[in-house]
Amino acid sequence: MPTICKFEKALEILTGKWKPVILLRLFANGTMRFSEIQKAIPDINKKMLAQQLKELEHNDIVHREVYSQVPPKVEYSITAYGHSLHPVLQTLNDWGEGHVEHMSRLHGEETSTEAVDRPQTPVRKA
Amino acid sequence: MPTICKFEKALEILTGKWKPVILLRLFANGTMRFSEIQKAIPDINKKMLAQQLKELEHNDIVHREVYSQVPPKVEYSITAYGHSLHPVLQTLNDWGEGHVEHMSRLHGEETSTEAVDRPQTPVRKA
DNA sequence: CTGCATCCTCAATGATACTG
DNA sequence: CAGTATCATTGAGGATGCAG
């Protein structure tokens, strides 16, 4: 059980199609209701949002506060422990920033930086 | 295009089922032949290895040195730029280390830390 | 030895409807 | 409003064979 495991474990937390966006939103806004997050991230659907939040909650990154009232109200926020992620996010973001520049320098000046990766597995088309 | 993009871009590099292992191997061993990496990571297959290496190469993280000889010989190594990833990996790993402990403290003392995540979508079985 | 092409599998993602 | 349950989709991941 080398270093890999820890490393991969850490990645598991940040990975997932919506984790990053959700996390950033919560880091920025502090506390948000379920519907607020949904509005903030139009392309996500309830199932995914709930699912990802659940995972983040399980990892003690996000806190879930339920208000027993009608209509229901649930607020999400970054836990104390979750804030320990901040430096990690920062590092990742800083490197990412330099990286996009590095890429444009290397390859074309495409501002899109899109469809450049993962060329393989050409999608079994009809 | 807020911070997310850079952040996610960075994640893209590290993510992928085999990127972490491959990266760590290369960081540790310096230079390895295709077959060496394969032997070092028994569970990976040629296609995946080639694919992930290609992506890493495209991102200028890994260097590919081809020796035009028979039989063919190709060596992979971390590029100069690729080494800029080291602090990122370090940060991630450090946080991951603390995280596994935090998890065991929170939930059970399960050394497995397995099947605890992602409870949803119960696998559509026959 | 390397690596691409093909075909296949399945887990993650998504759309939708229903419930407290 | 905040979920859960179901069913459908898709694309990353994998097995295998051919080719340089």
Side-chain angles (χ1 to χ4, degrees), chain A residues 26-27 30-31 56-57 59-64 76-87, chain B residues 95 99 102-103 105-106:
Chain A
L26 285 177
F27 261 108
T31 292
L56 289 170
E57 187 197 355
N59 288 316
D60 191 30
I61 305 298
V62 159
H63 173 68
R64 179 160 177 271
Y76 293 89
S77 57
I78 303 291
T79 65
Y81 176 66
H83 279 95
S84 70
L85 261 181
H86 199 261
Chain B
W95 186 84
H99 185 64
H102 187 72
M103 285 299 97
R105 231 173 294 127
L106 265 187

Side-chain angles (χ1 to χ4, degrees), chain B residues 33-35 46 64 76 121 123:
Chain B
R33 297 187 52 167
F34 188 89
S35 51
K46 285 190 294 187
R64 180 159 176 270
Y76 292 89
T121 317
V123 180

Side-chain angles (χ1 to χ4, degrees), chain A residues 92-102, chain B residues 3 6-7 9-10:
Chain A
L92 227 43
N93 185 66
D94 290 349
W95 187 84
E97 184 141 14
H99 186 64
V100 288
E101 294 177 22
H102 188 72
Chain B
T3 337
K6 320 288 184 60
F7 178 37
K9 273 297 171 199

